[in-house]
Amino acid sequence: MNDRNLYPSLILNHYRNPRNRRNLSAEEIHAEGSNPNCGDRVALHLQTEGEKIVEIFFSGCGCAICMASTSIMTDNARGKTPSDLRRLSDEFIAFMQGEIDLNAETLGDLFALAAVRKFPMRIKCAILPWQILLKALD
Ligand code: ZN
């Protein structure tokens, strides 16, 4: 495994300085999940106003891939509608699982996770927060 390919600088940046991470009390958690194979754990708090997500925070710990994916996800979520986010989640999960191809223009910062597709054991790390987001939106 070539670590430089798996961890582009954007991934390391989000891992070292996660956006929108803080401690969440049990009452604040809307959905959570874990990836026991790797030890990743993520919990999400969402706040909507009208049709838009106005706040999103996560708590949790895990590997660089999972934490970066969660951090980038929260950065992308504010100001979007739940249906926008459901579509983005479905697309990103399908992309990571190799079912569809998307380009950097469509995925933005998320495209930095594209190299993870070559490491099947780590795909779960990247999609875990998105699966939790879908649960939180239900
Ligand atoms: Zn992981």
Side-chain angles (χ1 to χ4, degrees):
M1 182 185 301
N2 183 332
D3 276 359
R4 195 173 290 172
N5 283 341
L6 188 57
Y7 302 118
S9 58
L10 187 75
I11 301 295
L12 290 174
N13 181 299
H14 276 271
Y15 176 54
R16 290 177 183 144
N17 310 290
R19 322 299 197 261
N20 311 302
R21 181 162 77 172
R22 66 168 170 83
N23 288 326
L24 297 174
S25 65
E27 303 82 64
E28 288 179 302
I29 293 172
H30 292 131
E32 58 190 323
S34 65
N35 178 12
N37 289 333
C38 185
D40 306 318
R41 284 189 299 115
V42 174
L44 285 181
H45 169 79
L46 290 177
Q47 218 175 297
T48 52
E49 228 174 74
E51 280 295 286
K52 287 198 167 141
I53 309 291
V54 289
E55 283 299 352
I56 178 165
F57 290 105
F58 79 98
S59 68
C61 56
C63 68
I65 300 297
C66 181
M67 291 296 103
S69 183
T70 310
S71 176
I72 297 170
M73 180 187 81
T74 60
D75 251 1
N76 273 273
R78 274 201 191 82
K80 289 205 166 71
T81 66
S83 63
D84 287 342
L85 275 184
R86 264 189 216 103
R87 194 177 52 236
L88 180 62
S89 299
D90 287 341
E91 281 180 359
F92 180 70
I93 291 169
F95 170 73
M96 291 307 295
Q97 291 176 332
E99 291 160 11
I100 58 171
D101 258 315
L102 297 170
N103 57 29
E105 208 177 315
T106 309
L107 283 174
D109 284 356
L110 286 169
F111 195 71
L113 291 158
V116 178
R117 300 202 298 171
K118 286 181 262 163
F119 303 90
M121 293 295 291
R122 310 302 299 283
I123 291 171
K124 274 188 183 163
C125 303
I127 65 178
L128 175 71
W130 298 84
Q131 292 168 327
I132 298 169
L133 177 65
L134 285 171
K135 267 201 278 177
L137 291 170
D138 276 345

